[in-house]
Amino acid sequence: MTNADLVEWVNRFYDTWNKGDMAAFYQMIDEQVVDHDAYDPGAGLTGVKQTLDHFRSAFPDLHYKVEKVISDSENQAAVRLTTTGTHKGALYGSPATNKQATWTEMRIIRVVNGKLVEHWANTDTLEMSIQLGLIQPPGGATW
């Protein structure tokens, strides 16, 4: 896979999620994927589905906008995303607020033979939680 192919794959991956075609989305992930941010990083695709299905139920309209893809190899890329969603379901024990939030995410992915095989994420959950009213801004600041 060339760098250009990898950038195209990343855009197709998030576009598939945004369209809600979860069957096609999950087909892009290897059964033995190592997701360092899933509930159980050793659980493979089963663990990834558990994590992502939880987010999909909490944010049914969750949308990823790919802002930047940087690839320095044929199978790894850093991805910067802007994420939006309306909190319509429980999120890690917090009841739905019906508020919309926008936050950023940074991800590092590794793709082999057209499938996601490894994933790391850094999500601005502080910004998301403040916008949803789950926590107050630090120091009484207003957002």
Side-chain angles (χ1 to χ4, degrees):
M1 180 179 286
T2 67
N3 286 348
D5 291 336
L6 184 55
V7 170
E8 179 194 332
W9 186 95
V10 167
N11 283 299
R12 190 173 67 250
F13 184 72
Y14 289 104
D15 187 52
T16 303
W17 170 278
N18 290 337
K19 290 178 180 175
D21 187 350
M22 299 313 290
F25 179 81
Y26 287 135
Q27 286 178 353
M28 297 177 78
I29 303 172
D30 190 82
E31 287 287 331
Q32 301 304 315
V33 65
V34 176
D35 188 330
H36 300 279
D37 300 294
Y39 291 131
D40 176 359
L45 182 56
T46 301
V48 168
K49 283 181 177 181
Q50 181 182 4
T51 300
L52 295 180
D53 289 350
H54 178 77
F55 265 87
R56 182 60 104 183
S57 67
F59 296 95
D61 62 346
L62 191 72
H63 183 272
Y64 292 106
K65 179 180 178 189
V66 176
E67 300 286 354
K68 184 78 172 175
V69 179
I70 300 170
S71 174
D72 66 355
S73 71
E74 294 180 0
N75 69 351
Q76 288 192 116
V79 183
R80 183 179 188 284
L81 301 161
T82 299
T83 311
T84 57
T86 309
H87 186 206
K88 297 281 190 179
L91 178 66
Y92 298 118
S94 295
T97 63
N98 294 311
K99 294 181 180 180
Q100 188 174 57
T102 300
W103 62 93
T104 58
E105 300 185 26
M106 291 291 300
R107 299 180 179 233
I108 298 172
I109 63 163
R110 190 165 62 92
V111 178
V112 175
N113 296 325
K115 298 222 179 206
L116 180 71
V117 297
E118 197 164 14
H119 171 266
W120 297 261
N122 186 335
T123 301
D124 189 351
T125 54
L126 175 63
E127 179 65 26
M128 176 187 67
S129 297
I130 290 170
Q131 289 181 38
L132 296 178
L134 301 175
I135 63 172
Q136 294 301 310
T142 56
W143 252 245

PDB file of all heavy atoms in Angstrom, residues 111-140:
ATOM      1  N   VAL A 111      -2.285  -0.372   9.192  1.00  0.00           N
ATOM      2  CA  VAL A 111      -3.137  -1.123   8.267  1.00  0.00           C
ATOM      3  C   VAL A 111      -2.275  -2.135   7.517  1.00  0.00           C
ATOM      4  O   VAL A 111      -1.225  -1.779   6.979  1.00  0.00           O
ATOM      5  CB  VAL A 111      -3.825  -0.163   7.260  1.00  0.00           C
ATOM      6  CG1 VAL A 111      -4.668  -0.938   6.259  1.00  0.00           C
ATOM      7  CG2 VAL A 111      -4.669   0.866   7.999  1.00  0.00           C
ATOM      8  N   VAL A 112      -2.728  -3.380   7.493  1.00  0.00           N
ATOM      9  CA  VAL A 112      -2.030  -4.442   6.758  1.00  0.00           C
ATOM     10  C   VAL A 112      -3.061  -5.173   5.908  1.00  0.00           C
ATOM     11  O   VAL A 112      -4.132  -5.552   6.405  1.00  0.00           O
ATOM     12  CB  VAL A 112      -1.330  -5.420   7.729  1.00  0.00           C
ATOM     13  CG1 VAL A 112      -0.709  -6.584   6.966  1.00  0.00           C
ATOM     14  CG2 VAL A 112      -0.278  -4.694   8.568  1.00  0.00           C
ATOM     15  N   ASN A 113      -2.752  -5.349   4.646  1.00  0.00           N
ATOM     16  CA  ASN A 113      -3.647  -6.042   3.709  1.00  0.00           C
ATOM     17  C   ASN A 113      -5.050  -5.445   3.715  1.00  0.00           C
ATOM     18  O   ASN A 113      -6.048  -6.164   3.676  1.00  0.00           O
ATOM     19  CB  ASN A 113      -3.701  -7.540   4.011  1.00  0.00           C
ATOM     20  CG  ASN A 113      -2.360  -8.211   3.806  1.00  0.00           C
ATOM     21  OD1 ASN A 113      -1.601  -7.847   2.905  1.00  0.00           O
ATOM     22  ND2 ASN A 113      -2.046  -9.176   4.648  1.00  0.00           N
ATOM     23  N   GLY A 114      -5.124  -4.113   3.799  1.00  0.00           N
ATOM     24  CA  GLY A 114      -6.408  -3.432   3.723  1.00  0.00           C
ATOM     25  C   GLY A 114      -7.256  -3.487   4.978  1.00  0.00           C
ATOM     26  O   GLY A 114      -8.427  -3.120   4.958  1.00  0.00           O
ATOM     27  N   LYS A 115      -6.667  -3.951   6.097  1.00  0.00           N
ATOM     28  CA  LYS A 115      -7.428  -4.047   7.346  1.00  0.00           C
ATOM     29  C   LYS A 115      -6.678  -3.353   8.473  1.00  0.00           C
ATOM     30  O   LYS A 115      -5.447  -3.431   8.560  1.00  0.00           O
ATOM     31  CB  LYS A 115      -7.667  -5.506   7.723  1.00  0.00           C
ATOM     32  CG  LYS A 115      -8.491  -6.254   6.699  1.00  0.00           C
ATOM     33  CD  LYS A 115      -9.482  -7.112   7.372  1.00  0.00           C
ATOM     34  CE  LYS A 115     -10.320  -7.844   6.314  1.00  0.00           C
ATOM     35  NZ  LYS A 115     -11.597  -8.190   6.828  1.00  0.00           N
ATOM     36  N   LEU A 116      -7.433  -2.719   9.350  1.00  0.00           N
ATOM     37  CA  LEU A 116      -6.867  -2.098  10.537  1.00  0.00           C
ATOM     38  C   LEU A 116      -6.378  -3.200  11.464  1.00  0.00           C
ATOM     39  O   LEU A 116      -7.155  -4.082  11.842  1.00  0.00           O
ATOM     40  CB  LEU A 116      -7.928  -1.255  11.243  1.00  0.00           C
ATOM     41  CG  LEU A 116      -7.478  -0.528  12.510  1.00  0.00           C
ATOM     42  CD1 LEU A 116      -6.530   0.612  12.171  1.00  0.00           C
ATOM     43  CD2 LEU A 116      -8.687   0.014  13.264  1.00  0.00           C
ATOM     44  N   VAL A 117      -5.081  -3.166  11.818  1.00  0.00           N
ATOM     45  CA  VAL A 117      -4.530  -4.202  12.690  1.00  0.00           C
ATOM     46  C   VAL A 117      -4.071  -3.650  14.034  1.00  0.00           C
ATOM     47  O   VAL A 117      -3.892  -4.416  14.980  1.00  0.00           O
ATOM     48  CB  VAL A 117      -3.373  -4.982  12.018  1.00  0.00           C
ATOM     49  CG1 VAL A 117      -3.863  -5.728  10.787  1.00  0.00           C
ATOM     50  CG2 VAL A 117      -2.198  -4.078  11.701  1.00  0.00           C
ATOM     51  N   GLU A 118      -3.887  -2.317  14.123  1.00  0.00           N
ATOM     52  CA  GLU A 118      -3.472  -1.721  15.391  1.00  0.00           C
ATOM     53  C   GLU A 118      -3.933  -0.266  15.422  1.00  0.00           C
ATOM     54  O   GLU A 118      -3.942   0.408  14.394  1.00  0.00           O
ATOM     55  CB  GLU A 118      -1.953  -1.816  15.549  1.00  0.00           C
ATOM     56  CG  GLU A 118      -1.492  -1.606  16.965  1.00  0.00           C
ATOM     57  CD  GLU A 118      -0.063  -2.084  17.198  1.00  0.00           C
ATOM     58  OE1 GLU A 118       0.675  -2.348  16.226  1.00  0.00           O
ATOM     59  OE2 GLU A 118       0.304  -2.191  18.385  1.00  0.00           O
ATOM     60  N   HIS A 119      -4.292   0.186  16.639  1.00  0.00           N
ATOM     61  CA  HIS A 119      -4.904   1.508  16.789  1.00  0.00           C
ATOM     62  C   HIS A 119      -4.595   2.102  18.160  1.00  0.00           C
ATOM     63  O   HIS A 119      -4.656   1.407  19.166  1.00  0.00           O
ATOM     64  CB  HIS A 119      -6.423   1.342  16.608  1.00  0.00           C
ATOM     65  CG  HIS A 119      -7.212   2.555  16.934  1.00  0.00           C
ATOM     66  ND1 HIS A 119      -7.769   2.766  18.173  1.00  0.00           N
ATOM     67  CD2 HIS A 119      -7.540   3.628  16.184  1.00  0.00           C
ATOM     68  CE1 HIS A 119      -8.424   3.918  18.164  1.00  0.00           C
ATOM     69  NE2 HIS A 119      -8.288   4.458  16.981  1.00  0.00           N
ATOM     70  N   TRP A 120      -4.251   3.381  18.161  1.00  0.00           N
ATOM     71  CA  TRP A 120      -4.103   4.174  19.383  1.00  0.00           C
ATOM     72  C   TRP A 120      -4.945   5.432  19.191  1.00  0.00           C
ATOM     73  O   TRP A 120      -5.071   5.936  18.074  1.00  0.00           O
ATOM     74  CB  TRP A 120      -2.671   4.633  19.594  1.00  0.00           C
ATOM     75  CG  TRP A 120      -1.644   3.579  19.797  1.00  0.00           C
ATOM     76  CD1 TRP A 120      -1.127   3.158  20.982  1.00  0.00           C
ATOM     77  CD2 TRP A 120      -0.974   2.825  18.791  1.00  0.00           C
ATOM     78  NE1 TRP A 120      -0.183   2.193  20.782  1.00  0.00           N
ATOM     79  CE2 TRP A 120      -0.072   1.968  19.431  1.00  0.00           C
ATOM     80  CE3 TRP A 120      -1.053   2.772  17.388  1.00  0.00           C
ATOM     81  CZ2 TRP A 120       0.747   1.079  18.740  1.00  0.00           C
ATOM     82  CZ3 TRP A 120      -0.244   1.891  16.707  1.00  0.00           C
ATOM     83  CH2 TRP A 120       0.645   1.062  17.376  1.00  0.00           C
ATOM     84  N   ALA A 121      -5.502   5.977  20.274  1.00  0.00           N
ATOM     85  CA  ALA A 121      -6.302   7.205  20.162  1.00  0.00           C
ATOM     86  C   ALA A 121      -6.035   8.124  21.342  1.00  0.00           C
ATOM     87  O   ALA A 121      -5.792   7.669  22.459  1.00  0.00           O
ATOM     88  CB  ALA A 121      -7.791   6.874  20.095  1.00  0.00           C
ATOM     89  N   ASN A 122      -6.106   9.414  21.064  1.00  0.00           N
ATOM     90  CA  ASN A 122      -6.053  10.442  22.090  1.00  0.00           C
ATOM     91  C   ASN A 122      -7.253  11.341  21.818  1.00  0.00           C
ATOM     92  O   ASN A 122      -7.267  12.086  20.832  1.00  0.00           O
ATOM     93  CB  ASN A 122      -4.742  11.219  22.012  1.00  0.00           C
ATOM     94  CG  ASN A 122      -4.589  12.195  23.145  1.00  0.00           C
ATOM     95  OD1 ASN A 122      -5.562  12.648  23.721  1.00  0.00           O
ATOM     96  ND2 ASN A 122      -3.358  12.537  23.451  1.00  0.00           N
ATOM     97  N   THR A 123      -8.262  11.240  22.674  1.00  0.00           N
ATOM     98  CA  THR A 123      -9.524  11.946  22.479  1.00  0.00           C
ATOM     99  C   THR A 123      -9.659  13.048  23.517  1.00  0.00           C
ATOM    100  O   THR A 123      -9.393  12.834  24.693  1.00  0.00           O
ATOM    101  CB  THR A 123     -10.700  10.954  22.621  1.00  0.00           C
ATOM    102  OG1 THR A 123     -10.530   9.920  21.649  1.00  0.00           O
ATOM    103  CG2 THR A 123     -12.035  11.632  22.398  1.00  0.00           C
ATOM    104  N   ASP A 124     -10.088  14.228  23.077  1.00  0.00           N
ATOM    105  CA  ASP A 124     -10.272  15.348  24.001  1.00  0.00           C
ATOM    106  C   ASP A 124     -11.590  15.164  24.755  1.00  0.00           C
ATOM    107  O   ASP A 124     -12.573  15.859  24.519  1.00  0.00           O
ATOM    108  CB  ASP A 124     -10.241  16.675  23.243  1.00  0.00           C
ATOM    109  CG  ASP A 124     -10.200  17.884  24.156  1.00  0.00           C
ATOM    110  OD1 ASP A 124     -10.368  17.722  25.386  1.00  0.00           O
ATOM    111  OD2 ASP A 124     -10.015  18.995  23.642  1.00  0.00           O
ATOM    112  N   THR A 125     -11.595  14.204  25.664  1.00  0.00           N
ATOM    113  CA  THR A 125     -12.803  13.912  26.435  1.00  0.00           C
ATOM    114  C   THR A 125     -13.120  15.026  27.426  1.00  0.00           C
ATOM    115  O   THR A 125     -14.282  15.176  27.809  1.00  0.00           O
ATOM    116  CB  THR A 125     -12.695  12.563  27.166  1.00  0.00           C
ATOM    117  OG1 THR A 125     -11.507  12.556  27.959  1.00  0.00           O
ATOM    118  CG2 THR A 125     -12.670  11.413  26.175  1.00  0.00           C
ATOM    119  N   LEU A 126     -12.129  15.828  27.825  1.00  0.00           N
ATOM    120  CA  LEU A 126     -12.399  16.967  28.701  1.00  0.00           C
ATOM    121  C   LEU A 126     -13.304  17.962  27.980  1.00  0.00           C
ATOM    122  O   LEU A 126     -14.342  18.360  28.510  1.00  0.00           O
ATOM    123  CB  LEU A 126     -11.096  17.652  29.140  1.00  0.00           C
ATOM    124  CG  LEU A 126     -11.279  18.925  29.973  1.00  0.00           C
ATOM    125  CD1 LEU A 126     -11.989  18.627  31.290  1.00  0.00           C
ATOM    126  CD2 LEU A 126      -9.928  19.590  30.217  1.00  0.00           C
ATOM    127  N   GLU A 127     -12.939  18.334  26.776  1.00  0.00           N
ATOM    128  CA  GLU A 127     -13.751  19.277  25.994  1.00  0.00           C
ATOM    129  C   GLU A 127     -15.152  18.708  25.754  1.00  0.00           C
ATOM    130  O   GLU A 127     -16.153  19.399  25.917  1.00  0.00           O
ATOM    131  CB  GLU A 127     -13.070  19.594  24.668  1.00  0.00           C
ATOM    132  CG  GLU A 127     -13.849  20.542  23.782  1.00  0.00           C
ATOM    133  CD  GLU A 127     -14.017  21.937  24.360  1.00  0.00           C
ATOM    134  OE1 GLU A 127     -13.181  22.363  25.166  1.00  0.00           O
ATOM    135  OE2 GLU A 127     -15.007  22.601  23.993  1.00  0.00           O
ATOM    136  N   MET A 128     -15.215  17.444  25.367  1.00  0.00           N
ATOM    137  CA  MET A 128     -16.509  16.806  25.128  1.00  0.00           C
ATOM    138  C   MET A 128     -17.359  16.828  26.397  1.00  0.00           C
ATOM    139  O   MET A 128     -18.532  17.209  26.369  1.00  0.00           O
ATOM    140  CB  MET A 128     -16.313  15.363  24.662  1.00  0.00           C
ATOM    141  CG  MET A 128     -17.607  14.592  24.485  1.00  0.00           C
ATOM    142  SD  MET A 128     -17.343  12.840  24.132  1.00  0.00           S
ATOM    143  CE  MET A 128     -16.637  12.267  25.661  1.00  0.00           C
ATOM    144  N   SER A 129     -16.788  16.455  27.525  1.00  0.00           N
ATOM    145  CA  SER A 129     -17.528  16.375  28.795  1.00  0.00           C
ATOM    146  C   SER A 129     -18.017  17.739  29.256  1.00  0.00           C
ATOM    147  O   SER A 129     -19.126  17.861  29.787  1.00  0.00           O
ATOM    148  CB  SER A 129     -16.650  15.740  29.872  1.00  0.00           C
ATOM    149  OG  SER A 129     -16.316  14.416  29.515  1.00  0.00           O
ATOM    150  N   ILE A 130     -17.206  18.765  29.050  1.00  0.00           N
ATOM    151  CA  ILE A 130     -17.629  20.132  29.412  1.00  0.00           C
ATOM    152  C   ILE A 130     -18.807  20.557  28.546  1.00  0.00           C
ATOM    153  O   ILE A 130     -19.811  21.073  29.045  1.00  0.00           O
ATOM    154  CB  ILE A 130     -16.449  21.121  29.296  1.00  0.00           C
ATOM    155  CG1 ILE A 130     -15.436  20.845  30.416  1.00  0.00           C
ATOM    156  CG2 ILE A 130     -16.942  22.558  29.343  1.00  0.00           C
ATOM    157  CD1 ILE A 130     -14.120  21.589  30.267  1.00  0.00           C
ATOM    158  N   GLN A 131     -18.711  20.341  27.237  1.00  0.00           N
ATOM    159  CA  GLN A 131     -19.798  20.730  26.335  1.00  0.00           C
ATOM    160  C   GLN A 131     -21.093  19.988  26.640  1.00  0.00           C
ATOM    161  O   GLN A 131     -22.182  20.540  26.479  1.00  0.00           O
ATOM    162  CB  GLN A 131     -19.393  20.495  24.878  1.00  0.00           C
ATOM    163  CG  GLN A 131     -18.344  21.459  24.382  1.00  0.00           C
ATOM    164  CD  GLN A 131     -17.992  21.199  22.938  1.00  0.00           C
ATOM    165  OE1 GLN A 131     -18.847  20.881  22.119  1.00  0.00           O
ATOM    166  NE2 GLN A 131     -16.718  21.334  22.615  1.00  0.00           N
ATOM    167  N   LEU A 132     -20.978  18.749  27.086  1.00  0.00           N
ATOM    168  CA  LEU A 132     -22.178  17.969  27.405  1.00  0.00           C
ATOM    169  C   LEU A 132     -22.726  18.309  28.786  1.00  0.00           C
ATOM    170  O   LEU A 132     -23.800  17.846  29.165  1.00  0.00           O
ATOM    171  CB  LEU A 132     -21.876  16.469  27.319  1.00  0.00           C
ATOM    172  CG  LEU A 132     -21.486  15.948  25.932  1.00  0.00           C
ATOM    173  CD1 LEU A 132     -21.157  14.463  26.004  1.00  0.00           C
ATOM    174  CD2 LEU A 132     -22.574  16.228  24.909  1.00  0.00           C
ATOM    175  N   GLY A 133     -21.986  19.099  29.557  1.00  0.00           N
ATOM    176  CA  GLY A 133     -22.417  19.463  30.900  1.00  0.00           C
ATOM    177  C   GLY A 133     -22.179  18.367  31.920  1.00  0.00           C
ATOM    178  O   GLY A 133     -22.753  18.390  33.006  1.00  0.00           O
ATOM    179  N   LEU A 134     -21.309  17.411  31.583  1.00  0.00           N
ATOM    180  CA  LEU A 134     -21.010  16.313  32.507  1.00  0.00           C
ATOM    181  C   LEU A 134     -20.051  16.745  33.602  1.00  0.00           C
ATOM    182  O   LEU A 134     -20.042  16.169  34.689  1.00  0.00           O
ATOM    183  CB  LEU A 134     -20.458  15.118  31.748  1.00  0.00           C
ATOM    184  CG  LEU A 134     -21.372  14.543  30.671  1.00  0.00           C
ATOM    185  CD1 LEU A 134     -20.670  13.433  29.899  1.00  0.00           C
ATOM    186  CD2 LEU A 134     -22.686  14.043  31.271  1.00  0.00           C
ATOM    187  N   ILE A 135     -19.208  17.725  33.298  1.00  0.00           N
ATOM    188  CA  ILE A 135     -18.291  18.303  34.284  1.00  0.00           C
ATOM    189  C   ILE A 135     -18.232  19.808  34.075  1.00  0.00           C
ATOM    190  O   ILE A 135     -18.591  20.309  33.002  1.00  0.00           O
ATOM    191  CB  ILE A 135     -16.873  17.693  34.202  1.00  0.00           C
ATOM    192  CG1 ILE A 135     -16.235  17.983  32.842  1.00  0.00           C
ATOM    193  CG2 ILE A 135     -16.887  16.209  34.493  1.00  0.00           C
ATOM    194  CD1 ILE A 135     -14.773  17.578  32.761  1.00  0.00           C
ATOM    195  N   GLN A 136     -17.786  20.530  35.082  1.00  0.00           N
ATOM    196  CA  GLN A 136     -17.631  21.975  34.990  1.00  0.00           C
ATOM    197  C   GLN A 136     -16.235  22.308  34.492  1.00  0.00           C
ATOM    198  O   GLN A 136     -15.277  21.609  34.793  1.00  0.00           O
ATOM    199  CB  GLN A 136     -17.864  22.627  36.353  1.00  0.00           C
ATOM    200  CG  GLN A 136     -19.292  22.489  36.847  1.00  0.00           C
ATOM    201  CD  GLN A 136     -20.298  23.111  35.888  1.00  0.00           C
ATOM    202  OE1 GLN A 136     -20.143  24.252  35.470  1.00  0.00           O
ATOM    203  NE2 GLN A 136     -21.291  22.345  35.489  1.00  0.00           N
ATOM    204  N   PRO A 137     -16.104  23.415  33.755  1.00  0.00           N
ATOM    205  CA  PRO A 137     -14.764  23.830  33.296  1.00  0.00           C
ATOM    206  C   PRO A 137     -13.857  24.088  34.488  1.00  0.00           C
ATOM    207  O   PRO A 137     -14.331  24.521  35.541  1.00  0.00           O
ATOM    208  CB  PRO A 137     -15.033  25.116  32.527  1.00  0.00           C
ATOM    209  CG  PRO A 137     -16.474  25.108  32.203  1.00  0.00           C
ATOM    210  CD  PRO A 137     -17.146  24.302  33.277  1.00  0.00           C
ATOM    211  N   PRO A 138     -12.579  23.836  34.339  1.00  0.00           N
ATOM    212  CA  PRO A 138     -11.645  24.072  35.443  1.00  0.00           C
ATOM    213  C   PRO A 138     -11.628  25.550  35.850  1.00  0.00           C
ATOM    214  O   PRO A 138     -11.736  26.437  35.018  1.00  0.00           O
ATOM    215  CB  PRO A 138     -10.275  23.685  34.855  1.00  0.00           C
ATOM    216  CG  PRO A 138     -10.541  23.049  33.548  1.00  0.00           C
ATOM    217  CD  PRO A 138     -11.930  23.317  33.145  1.00  0.00           C
ATOM    218  N   GLY A 139     -11.524  25.797  37.145  1.00  0.00           N
ATOM    219  CA  GLY A 139     -11.392  27.148  37.644  1.00  0.00           C
ATOM    220  C   GLY A 139     -12.589  28.040  37.422  1.00  0.00           C
ATOM    221  O   GLY A 139     -12.485  29.261  37.469  1.00  0.00           O
ATOM    222  N   GLY A 140     -13.749  27.471  37.141  1.00  0.00           N
ATOM    223  CA  GLY A 140     -14.948  28.267  36.934  1.00  0.00           C
ATOM    224  C   GLY A 140     -14.992  28.991  35.591  1.00  0.00           C
ATOM    225  O   GLY A 140     -15.824  29.853  35.377  1.00  0.00           O
TER     226      GLY A 140
END
